[in-house]
């Protein structure tokens, strides 16, 4: 069974096999950590944006991106883009609207 681990620090230096981030349903990664994901993984961003524009990424779904290994023999890593909010911005919440 996989467990969720919360850590603090530089997300880009983690040895975790997966990194998750909350994203909106409009296909926008324009600020904060989302913009860093977009910059580091442009192909991932384009796939996510295409899903959003085609209305194929509903709330609560997860877009899984296989991160290409930097060096041969590295373990497979993933990015989980989790559809947590409809609109872009700092409006994600654990509470129901």
């Amino acid at each position: 069974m996989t467990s969720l681990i919360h850590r603090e620090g530089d997300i880009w230096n983690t040895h975790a096999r997966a990194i998750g981030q909350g994203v909106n349903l409009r296909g926008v990664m324009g600020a904060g950590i989302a913009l860093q994901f977009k910059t580091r993984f442009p192909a991932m961003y384009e796939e996510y944006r295409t899903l959003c524009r085609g209305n194929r990424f509903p709330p609560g779904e997860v877009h899984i991106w296989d991160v290409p290994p930097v060096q041969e023999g590295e373990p497979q890593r993933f990015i989980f883009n989790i559809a947590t909010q409809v609109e872009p911005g700092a409006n994600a919440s654990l509470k129901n609207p």
Side-chain angles (χ1 to χ4, degrees), residues 7-85:
R7 298 231 168 105
E8 292 185 24
D10 186 344
I11 194 169
W12 307 117
N13 290 328
T14 184
H15 295 311
R17 298 263 329 268
I19 300 171
Q21 71 161 337
V23 297
N24 63 71
L25 303 180
R26 300 293 183 238
V28 176
M29 291 185 179
I33 191 72
L35 181 58
Q36 292 180 40
F37 274 96
K38 176 183 173 181
T39 301
R40 286 175 183 262
F41 305 101
M44 177 213 64
Y45 168 71
E46 289 300 326
E47 186 173 290
Y48 150 75
R49 189 172 100 172
T50 298
L51 289 171
C52 290
R53 288 187 172 182
N55 293 318
R56 297 188 323 257
F57 191 41
E61 286 294 316
V62 179
H63 168 244
I64 301 171
W65 180 257
D66 295 341
V67 177
V70 175
Q71 297 177 12
E72 189 174 326
E74 283 186 338
Q76 183 63 50
R77 298 183 65 192
F78 304 93
I79 296 171
F80 297 152
N81 292 311
I82 308 161
T84 57
Q85 61 197 74

